[in-house]
Amino acid sequence: MSALQLLIAYDGSPDAQSALRTAATMFPGASAVVLYARQALEGFAAHLEGHPALEELAGLDAATLDVSERIADEGAQLARGLGFDAEPRVSSTMSTASEAIVDTAEEVDADLIMVGSRGRRGFKATLLGSTSASVLHHATRPTLVIPSDSVASARRAGRTEMTHHSV
């Protein structure tokens, strides 16, 4: 039987690192593609065709690609240190991060998509969007959302506070 193939969305944040550690305890020895989904600057620059600023943006985009590759590499190194057979991948796309995650899961034939949760609620969640919620709604593969320890603790504290106020 072949190892479970995971697609782990990873952005280098403490929440993503926490989710990766949790995943390692749940799926020891699995194979993983650690994906950093970056937004290319081409969409932003489309209206600048022929403008001298376009050259500056091209340099900036190359620099952000370097940083993106470093984040994916760091995530894969962390995953390998936790027992995964992991490889880094960067998706550089005009689409949203959630679309890149769903598309990459198809490309790598992932058995499971794993994403962390930042715990944004209310206006921030509406304004910034929720990558994990979008992946859940659009994925064609099983998807697991893992809240970081800090997000889970804050949610527990919020429920406890709500229970005490309603009594």
Side-chain angles (χ1 to χ4, degrees), residues 94-142:
M94 299 277 284
S95 63
T96 65
S98 60
E99 290 169 328
I101 293 165
V102 170
D103 290 346
T104 303
E106 293 297 323
E107 289 171 22
V108 302
D109 196 24
D111 296 308
L112 179 67
I113 300 169
M114 302 185 75
V115 295
S117 172
R118 291 183 189 262
R120 290 190 179 115
R121 297 175 64 170
F123 183 70
K124 274 188 174 179
T126 301
L127 180 65
L128 299 171
S130 171
T131 298
S132 57
S134 183
V135 171
L136 279 170
H137 289 291
H138 295 98
T140 60
R141 296 172 180 272

Side-chain angles (χ1 to χ4, degrees), residues 10 28 36 58 71 84 86 95 97 104 106 138 150 153 159 162:
Y10 184 83
Y36 180 77
I71 291 169
F84 287 116
S95 63
T104 303
E106 293 297 323
H138 295 98
S150 62
S153 294
R159 279 197 294 278
M162 294 280 289

Side-chain angles (χ1 to χ4, degrees), residues 27-75:
F27 304 102
S31 293
V33 172
V34 179
L35 174 72
Y36 180 77
R38 74 183 278 272
Q39 306 299 147
L41 294 177
E42 292 132 9
F44 173 73
H47 68 282
L48 293 175
E49 188 172 336
H51 193 280
L54 191 57
E55 246 181 73
E56 291 175 36
L57 284 177
L60 181 59
D61 194 51
T64 62
L65 178 58
D66 289 346
V67 170
S68 299
E69 289 172 345
R70 191 170 67 229
I71 291 169
D73 286 340
E74 289 170 1

